[in-house]
């Protein structure tokens, strides 16, 4: 019986463990229609809450420096060339989307769970976007959705090797309670099996 409980607990714990793969599941042309169903607003960059690194919260456009995402009249995040900004997230998320302005090949977004890199994408990875920095092209200004395929993230890093990485309205979806329940149940069964083995 001990072996069966231990095996069952191990299977349950492994089934609840996150995968490390991630995908871009969709990208919708600008102007931004807002977060997709099932996602809630994390930040619209009206404040610097959760942000660290080298960045500017700006509005409008300045030639050669930054350009507002297509038809975005609000304040947004700008990361100048050679810089990076991090956004801390709590609770962890299973999916994230944001409105990515004037997508460039030299823009990079990285997703982390603690210190572990879950995945990394550049503007060249966004489906159907020319990633040529076009400021007035709706196809190159879009809400991009990332799915972590079972993993969850607690930090996003935005960086750019040239001017600039512009984005707004980050949204996300939290892991389903069933996933957490399975994980807790798996650890409980492993603990119960370990207690039964003691003399």
């Amino acid at each position: 019986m001990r072996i069966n409980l231990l095996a069952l607990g191990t299977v349950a714990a492994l089934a609840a463990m996150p995968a490390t793969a991630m995908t871009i599941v969709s990208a919708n042309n600008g102007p931004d229609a807002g977060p997709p169903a099932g996602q809630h607003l994390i930040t619209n960059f009206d404040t610097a809450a959760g942000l660290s690194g080298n960045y500017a919260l700006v509005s409008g456009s300045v030639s050669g420096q930054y350009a507002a995402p297509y038809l975005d009249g609000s304040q947004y995040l700008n990361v100048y060339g050679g810089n990076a900004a991090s956004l801390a997230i709590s609770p962890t998320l299973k999916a994230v989307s944001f409105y990515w302005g004037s997508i460039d090949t030299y823009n990079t977004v990285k997703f982390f769970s603690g210190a572990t890199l879950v995945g990394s994408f550049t503007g060249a990875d966004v489906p159907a976007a020319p990633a040529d920095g076009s400021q007035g092209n709706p196809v190159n200004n879009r809400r991009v959705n990332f799915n972590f395929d079972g993993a969850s993230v607690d930090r996003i890093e935005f960086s750019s090797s040239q001017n600039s990485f512009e984005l707004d309205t980050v949204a996300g979806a939290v892991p389903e309670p069933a996933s957490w329940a399975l994980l807790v149940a798996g650890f409980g069964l492993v603990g119960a099996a370990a207690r039964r083995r003691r003399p």
Side-chain angles (χ1 to χ4, degrees), residues 29-144:
N29 296 350
D32 188 23
Q39 292 190 7
H40 66 280
L41 180 68
I42 303 301
T43 182
N44 58 8
F45 300 110
D46 284 346
T47 70
L51 286 169
S52 61
N54 296 312
Y55 64 88
L57 298 180
V58 298
S59 57
S61 302
V62 175
S63 181
Q65 294 185 36
Y66 53 85
Y70 183 66
L71 297 182
D72 187 337
S74 67
Q75 184 168 279
Y76 59 91
L77 176 66
N78 175 63
V79 180
Y80 289 102
N83 291 300
S86 286
L87 177 63
I89 299 167
S90 179
T92 61
L93 300 175
K94 68 172 185 170
V96 167
S97 72
F98 59 87
Y99 187 35
W100 194 335
S102 56
I103 300 168
D104 288 293
T105 57
Y106 49 78
N107 298 155
T108 302
V109 58
K110 295 179 179 178
F111 299 94
F112 293 87
S113 177
T116 302
L117 177 66
V118 175
S120 177
F121 286 95
T122 69
D125 297 316
V126 178
D132 60 6
S134 302
Q135 299 167 11
N137 182 353
V139 176
N140 206 49
N141 293 261
R142 47 180 46 207
R143 175 158 294 272
V144 182

Side-chain angles (χ1 to χ4, degrees), residues 115-185:
T116 302
L117 177 66
V118 175
S120 177
F121 286 95
T122 69
D125 297 316
V126 178
D132 60 6
S134 302
Q135 299 167 11
N137 182 353
V139 176
N140 206 49
N141 293 261
R142 47 180 46 207
R143 175 158 294 272
V144 182
N145 296 286
F146 301 88
N147 182 331
F148 307 122
D149 298 338
S152 58
V153 301
D154 58 12
R155 183 170 61 90
I156 309 171
E157 181 183 281
F158 307 99
S159 63
S160 192
S161 59
Q162 300 178 45
N163 285 348
S164 270
F165 191 155
E166 303 97 347
L167 66 129
D168 203 359
T169 320
V170 178
V174 298
E176 293 91 353
S179 297
W180 290 106
L182 182 60
L183 181 63
V184 169

